[in-house]
Amino acid sequence: MEELKKTTKKATTKKAAEKTVAAKKTTARSTAKTGCKTTAKTGCRTTAKKTAAKKPAAKKAAPAEKISPFITEVDQYLFGMGTHYEIYKKMGAHLTEKDGVKGVHFAVWAPNAEYVSIMGNFNNWDSSANPMTRLEPMGIWEAFIPELKTGEIYKYYLHTKNGWDLEKADPFASSAELRPGTASRVAETEDYKWTDKTWMTKRESFDVDSCPMSVYEVHPGSWKRHPLNEDQKEYEAFYNYREFAHELVDYVKEMGYTHVELIGMSEHPLDASWGYQVTGYYAPTSRYGTPEDFMYFVDYLHKNKIGVIVDWVPAHFPKDGCGLAEFDGTCLYEHQNPMQGEHPHWGTKIFNYGRNEVKNFLIGSALNWIEQYHVDGLRVDAVASMLYLDFGRNAGEWIPNQYGGRENLEAIEFLRHLNNIVKERNQGALMIAEESTAWPLVTGDPKDGGLGFSLKWNMGWMNDFLEYMQLDPVYRKFHHNQMTFSLMYAFSEKFMLVLSHDEVVHLKKAMLSKMPGELEEQFANLKAGYAFMMGHPGKKLLFMGQEFGQWNEWNENKELDWYLLQDEHHQQLQNFVKALLHLYQKNPALYEQDGSWDGFEWINANDGDRSIFSFIRHSKDSKKNLVFVCNFTPVERPDYSFGMPEKKRLKLILDSADPQFGGNGMEHAKTFTPKAGECDDKPYHVDFPLPAYGVAVFQY
């Protein structure tokens, strides 16, 4: 925490930093570090090779003073302090003009390289054609190449101090070559004409505590695809960002979601990694188009009042030879010691969160997505793996912190700094933690020892819910507390309830396939489960395909089984989910008091013998409160009654017996007046015949 306070007190504006540089110019520190022998890598245009002698004099860089200072001393100082929050405007490849000539400026951080140059089609991949100049003291290399334009592909060639020749993609690139190519691509990201000013202004007042959030989790490459003929290539099946924008908006608006969360948006080499092994932290994946195309996607969703959240992966990165691993022949971005720098189970590298430049690289990436691409939030992947030094390790395989504990103090400071600066610079932007342990105050204020996230995925609820839902109904009465336990901690964090992609892959089965019983029972089970989820406190997230009953596990290589909607059972399930989502948006009782017992009241949490749950969601003004009743057995309850705390007339606003949802068509009165007489420890009660797997929602 002290380090965070010190960091935030440092110069973060150009004017303040210039004063600091002038005062400390003679004492500027060098950040060059050595160690970590580079090994041969694959996946690049050529394999790294060791040379017998140093590079010839012709390949030595020109003196720094001969290069125009696009990267200034202030830039270097702020980067070294970890507070250059607009580093994405300086590093990487940028279209610019020098002495009246247009071209591209390149800048890369490689303090332990002896020689760095730029290679591409424009110079026939000649490593001696365009050498870069080293800037001191940070070891940033820069060069200007005249007349280069958008679309050129390139890599950095590095000759290292330990004699290796490496070809690396640009860590700060805005775009990349379509896989399986691994080069970076020059792209213009600052000239797009945004039309979402109304949305961005309104976002500043977005309050996650009291606003609705129902999120549709989507993998763009497998939501829908174009049909292919034998002569076409696989990537031609993808919807591009612009096509995807229009198709997705139409569907999301019809269904009633408020946000979409996109999987696999950062550039990554392997489709099967789903985008969780990132090589381009500043680049929207080229699978679906250019950075400008992605901007159009976000812009179009905003114009249609739909928020955009992107998955972001600061926990680890792959060992691909053209990526960040041992970038300049040393462990530049990762820890040198494998006990700190590698995930033993994932086969990936761990960022060195104690190094200011690495923290700046990651924070700059986060701000790039939010400020440059206007996304409304980041879902931060695998936070637990960042917080614990012993994550995935056995005794003796990890190094304790300075106090002997297993907490990763450097990662904790990084996360606090990250969340603090994102919120400070972008009011209303969301930082959402996928954190699977009981780490305290994940959404707490850093001033109070918290991590500062906006929301935390409620993994505990998800696990309990799914275990209960997969049980044969005859056994559910013995596991009743699995559905009620989450209310014991529901307000300890700001939670999002999730049924994510992770739960419908790797032989876990799709949501519908998890349900017990015969065909119609499976659909009825799932409807009851979704209704319970919608009524439970917390924001909502549902992975694509589960809203209409995908039978098969998610496969990133094919589109969803949309043909299933020709079957009435799947159409009825989709109708039910749509009704729930619109019900959610229209009723503040379901979202405006998510973080407090003021918004929730059990009617009966202990009706285990009948496996029925009944509860009230309260609005702030006590108008349009909602009563939920959910029956999780195939047994009809014609004599069912539930208690009410007051004698207010109820209106039935959602009934699973409705034929449009696949119900039995049982006729019910539409309004009910509670009768005097104790029930469920309440002074009044309502008689309501509850069907098998019946769900009823009342408003009063």
Side-chain angles (χ1 to χ4, degrees), residues 83-349:
T83 57
H84 199 319
Y85 300 126
E86 295 184 354
I87 192 68
Y88 54 85
K89 294 182 178 180
K90 291 286 187 169
M91 302 291 280
H94 293 277
L95 296 175
T96 187
E97 186 174 307
K98 178 186 174 185
D99 300 330
V101 178
K102 293 182 179 181
V104 177
H105 180 273
F106 296 87
V108 63
W109 178 52
N112 299 298
E114 285 192 339
Y115 171 86
V116 182
S117 67
I118 307 158
M119 306 188 305
N121 290 333
F122 50 86
N123 63 12
N124 294 315
W125 298 92
D126 181 355
S127 63
S128 64
N130 293 103
M132 303 183 78
T133 299
R134 181 186 176 100
L135 303 181
E136 300 296 352
M138 294 300 301
I140 293 174
W141 299 73
E142 70 171 356
F144 175 79
I145 302 181
E147 300 180 356
L148 280 192
K149 298 179 180 179
T150 296
E152 291 281 2
I153 62 172
Y154 68 97
K155 278 188 178 180
Y156 294 118
Y157 166 85
L158 299 90
H159 180 70
T160 72
K161 292 179 179 179
N162 53 16
W164 289 91
D165 296 332
L166 303 173
E167 295 181 7
K168 293 285 189 177
D170 187 347
F172 291 87
S174 298
S175 184
E177 185 181 16
L178 182 66
R179 56 96 177 91
T182 57
S184 300
R185 189 181 295 277
V186 176
E188 181 54 70
T189 59
E190 297 182 10
D191 287 346
Y192 181 81
K193 305 301 181 185
W194 290 93
T195 61
D196 63 347
K197 184 177 180 180
T198 299
W199 172 274
M200 296 298 286
T201 301
K202 187 177 180 180
R203 190 179 80 180
E204 293 177 3
S205 60
F206 181 86
D207 180 9
V208 72
D209 294 328
S210 59
C211 291
M213 272 194 75
S214 52
V215 182
Y216 190 45
E217 188 186 27
V218 181
H219 178 260
S222 57
W223 185 66
K224 285 185 179 180
R225 286 190 171 193
H226 295 300
L228 290 179
N229 59 45
E230 294 181 358
D231 299 327
Q232 290 178 299
K233 297 178 181 179
E234 179 193 357
Y235 68 82
E236 293 178 293
F238 293 141
Y239 279 47
N240 65 43
Y241 287 118
R242 295 172 187 257
E243 294 172 318
F244 183 48
H246 289 265
E247 288 281 332
L248 190 63
V249 160
D250 291 345
Y251 186 73
V252 165
K253 288 178 70 174
E254 178 188 357
M255 290 298 295
Y257 294 99
T258 65
H259 293 69
V260 297
E261 180 178 316
L262 304 177
I263 295 174
M265 297 313 299
S266 298
E267 193 57 79
H268 55 285
L270 181 65
D271 290 359
S273 79
W274 311 333
Y276 293 108
Q277 297 207 11
V278 176
T279 52
Y281 277 83
Y282 288 72
T285 179
S286 58
R287 288 165 174 79
Y288 319 120
T290 67
E292 186 179 67
D293 293 333
F294 179 66
M295 290 175 172
Y296 177 90
F297 171 88
V298 176
D299 202 14
Y300 188 74
L301 266 69
H302 283 175
K303 286 193 290 186
N304 284 276
K305 302 179 181 179
I306 299 166
V308 180
I309 300 166
V310 168
D311 273 14
W312 188 63
V313 191
H316 61 122
F317 59 91
K319 297 179 181 179
D320 294 57
C322 50
L324 297 178
E326 300 167 6
F327 185 79
D328 63 355
T330 69
C331 294
L332 189 63
Y333 287 90
E334 68 269 40
H335 279 282
Q336 178 178 339
N337 191 325
M339 296 175 73
Q340 296 172 293
E342 292 192 20
H343 275 299
H345 301 309
W346 298 346
T348 52
K349 297 282 190 177

Side-chain angles (χ1 to χ4, degrees), residues 618-648:
H618 291 285
S619 63
K620 282 184 178 180
D621 60 6
S622 296
K623 298 178 181 178
K624 295 187 177 180
N625 302 312
L626 300 182
V627 173
F628 278 73
V629 180
C630 303
N631 177 11
F632 282 92
T633 70
V635 181
E636 293 185 18
R637 306 291 179 180
D639 57 348
Y640 180 74
S641 298
F642 60 90
M644 283 295 293
E646 51 190 335
K647 191 176 182 179
K648 295 287 182 69

Side-chain angles (χ1 to χ4, degrees), residues 454-600:
S454 311
L455 291 165
K456 172 182 174 176
W457 275 22
N458 196 335
M459 312 292 277
W461 172 85
M462 180 184 69
N463 291 330
D464 287 343
F465 174 82
L466 292 176
E467 285 183 14
Y468 180 89
M469 292 302 300
Q470 293 178 81
L471 290 169
D472 187 305
V474 73
Y475 299 116
R476 285 178 175 168
K477 64 182 178 181
F478 303 112
H479 298 267
H480 195 73
N481 65 325
Q482 286 186 271
M483 295 285 269
T484 60
F485 178 68
S486 56
L487 269 300
M488 299 294 290
Y489 62 85
F491 312 118
S492 62
E493 298 275 10
K494 299 175 183 179
F495 281 119
M496 175 177 281
L497 305 188
V498 295
L499 295 173
S500 72
H501 67 278
D502 278 326
E503 303 313 308
V504 294
V505 291
H506 301 321
L507 303 181
K508 294 179 183 178
K509 299 188 293 187
M511 285 299 300
L512 186 59
S513 298
K514 296 177 193 286
M515 300 299 107
E518 300 296 327
L519 179 69
E520 293 190 357
E521 288 183 295
Q522 288 178 289
F523 281 95
N525 259 298
L526 193 52
K527 286 176 224 171
Y530 285 160
F532 182 87
M533 175 185 181
M534 196 61 69
H536 191 290
K539 310 310 176 185
K540 324 296 179 188
L541 178 144
L542 186 63
F543 182 58
M544 65 180 195
Q546 310 316 306
E547 75 277 12
F548 62 79
Q550 180 96 0
W551 283 115
N552 296 315
E553 288 187 335
W554 171 48
N555 181 348
E556 75 277 359
N557 291 318
K558 55 176 290 190
E559 73 170 16
L560 298 179
D561 295 332
W562 293 102
Y563 65 86
L564 291 174
L565 286 170
Q566 298 173 27
D567 178 271
E568 63 176 358
H569 294 94
H570 295 274
Q571 184 64 66
Q572 290 160 354
L573 175 60
Q574 187 191 53
N575 292 342
F576 189 73
V577 173
K578 185 191 305 183
L580 286 173
L581 289 166
H582 285 280
L583 180 77
Y584 174 78
Q585 281 206 55
K586 292 177 181 177
N587 288 275
L590 291 176
Y591 56 78
E592 66 180 359
Q593 297 193 99
D594 264 339
S596 167
W597 276 106
D598 293 339
F600 183 90

